[in-house]
């Protein structure tokens, strides 16, 4: 496969009876790395042999599950847990013999840590750097290239024009300089100390100027001693005696028995 086809993981591995038997969206591996015809022979029961084919591996991230592993096992080996039989195009006849079976493990892209990005075929004696040999079928060795999965990054959500109009911030607040933004945040003596950038920061006292009652204005101007002279300091015993409450009514009501039901 070409390098531009190895940017994203594969989404499927299958076997086609002929290069033209693969459905749309599948790429047939028709030649080996040496340039020879990659006909797997009659190992899969097809009259004219079989060709390995793959799906996915394009430039865009696949929306569905990806191939995380591929196994080549004999027909006497049990099916491994978590793996499925690779599909064949067209569907094989019932009872046809298989010397080798191809199994594929699929996982969702978000759950996969590593995945298969490419498959290649070669002669049994050749070694492919950076590729892992997964088995042999017919006269060929099958190699796969694995790598870490890059999870898709969600796009940042943008506010629509209608939601932007509901914001309490000025529309050009993001384009102002830091000095201009800091000057807006300064609070004068008649402004609220609450953050009014959100409706949850508003207070009932926002915008209400602070003024002193005239009764206390004269005392304040005459000096602090005049204010302290009128203060009545009470001790803890005086406070307890003034606000003493014996809860007699509550205790009497609690002691009453409920009326009997006839």
């Amino acid at each position: 496969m070409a390098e531009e086809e190895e940017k994203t993981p594969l989404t499927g591995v299958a076997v086609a009876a002929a290069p033209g038997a693969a459905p749309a969206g599948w790429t047939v591996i028709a030649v080996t790395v040496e340039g020879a015809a990659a006909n797997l022979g009659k190992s899969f029961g097809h009259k004219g042999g079989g060709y390995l084919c793959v799906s996915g591996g394009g430039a865009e991230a696949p929306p569905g599950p990806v191939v995380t592993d591929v196994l080549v096992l004999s027909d006497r080996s049990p099916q491994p847990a978590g793996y499925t039989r690779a599909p064949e195009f067209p569907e094989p006849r019932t009872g046809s013999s298989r010397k080798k079976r191809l199994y594929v493990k699929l996982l969702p892209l978000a759950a996969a840590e590593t995945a298969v990005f490419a498959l290649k075929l070669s002669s049994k004696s050749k070694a492919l750097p950076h590729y892992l040999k997964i088995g042999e079928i017919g006269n060929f060795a099958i190699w796969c290239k694995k790598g870490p999965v890059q999870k898709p990054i969600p796009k940042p959500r943008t506010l629509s024009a209608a939601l932007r109009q509901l914001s309490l911030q000025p529309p050009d607040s993001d384009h102002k300089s830091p000095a201009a933004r800091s000057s807006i945040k300064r609070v004068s003596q008649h402004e609220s100390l609450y953050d009014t950038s959100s409706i949850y920061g508003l207070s009932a006292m926002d915008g209400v100027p602070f003024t002193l009652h005239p009764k206390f204005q004269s005392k304040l101007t005459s000096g602090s001693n005049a204010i302290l002279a009128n203060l009545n300091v009470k001790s803890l015993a005086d406070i307890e005696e003034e606000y003493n409450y014996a809860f007699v009514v509550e205790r009497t009501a609690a002691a009453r028995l409920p009326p009997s039901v006839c």
Side-chain angles (χ1 to χ4, degrees):
M1 297 180 66
E3 286 296 327
E4 60 269 12
E5 295 179 344
E6 299 178 2
K7 295 181 180 179
T8 58
L10 300 179
T11 57
V13 178
V15 177
W26 290 81
T27 302
V28 178
I29 304 177
V31 295
T32 64
V33 293
E34 296 92 348
N39 192 334
L40 300 177
K42 298 181 180 180
S43 300
F44 283 86
H46 296 299
K47 184 178 180 180
Y51 291 84
L52 201 64
C53 53
V54 296
S55 63
E60 298 181 358
V66 296
V67 178
T68 58
D69 195 19
V70 182
L71 295 179
V72 178
L73 301 177
S74 66
D75 55 352
R76 297 182 180 181
S77 300
Q79 179 172 332
Y83 289 76
T84 58
R85 285 280 300 273
E88 300 179 26
F89 310 119
E91 290 296 328
R93 293 175 298 175
T94 305
S96 58
S97 61
R98 300 287 186 278
K99 294 181 181 180
K100 294 293 181 68
R101 293 178 178 177
L102 200 63
Y103 293 94
V104 180
K105 186 176 184 180
L106 298 172
L107 284 178
L109 183 62
E113 297 296 334
T114 59
V116 178
F117 285 77
L119 285 182
K120 289 186 177 182
L121 278 79
S122 71
S123 60
K124 294 182 179 180
S125 59
K126 187 175 181 60
L128 298 185
H130 310 295
Y131 278 76
L132 175 66
K133 186 177 181 180
I134 60 176
E136 298 178 354
I137 296 181
N139 298 323
F140 305 102
I142 302 180
W143 303 80
C144 76
K145 183 178 182 181
K146 291 187 177 182
V149 175
Q150 295 183 356
K151 306 300 175 63
I153 301 176
K155 296 181 180 180
R157 303 175 65 180
T158 57
L159 292 177
S160 62
L163 291 178
R164 200 174 289 112
Q165 292 176 358
L166 296 177
S167 175
L168 297 178
Q169 294 181 348
D172 57 345
S173 60
D174 295 337
H175 304 285
K176 292 183 178 180
S177 62
R181 288 197 297 266
S182 61
S183 63
I184 295 176
K185 294 182 179 179
R186 292 195 186 99
V187 181
S188 64
Q189 59 179 353
H190 298 297
E191 290 178 344
S192 171
L193 297 178
Y194 292 91
D195 182 12
T196 58
S197 61
S198 172
I199 59 174
Y200 299 102
L202 296 178
S203 172
M205 296 302 295
D206 286 345
V208 179
F210 175 77
T211 57
L212 196 63
H213 194 275
K215 181 177 66 173
F216 303 101
Q217 187 68 33
S218 60
K219 296 181 180 180
L220 183 62
T221 55
S222 61
S224 59
N225 294 331
I227 300 177
L228 296 176
N230 295 330
L231 293 179
N232 184 15
V233 181
K234 295 182 180 181
S235 64
L236 180 59
D238 296 336
I239 297 175
E240 290 180 352
E241 183 179 357
E242 182 177 355
Y243 296 98
N244 185 23
Y245 184 68
F247 296 95
V248 177
V249 178
E250 288 78 4
R251 291 194 180 96
T252 304
R256 293 177 181 175
L257 295 177
S260 60
V261 181
C262 297

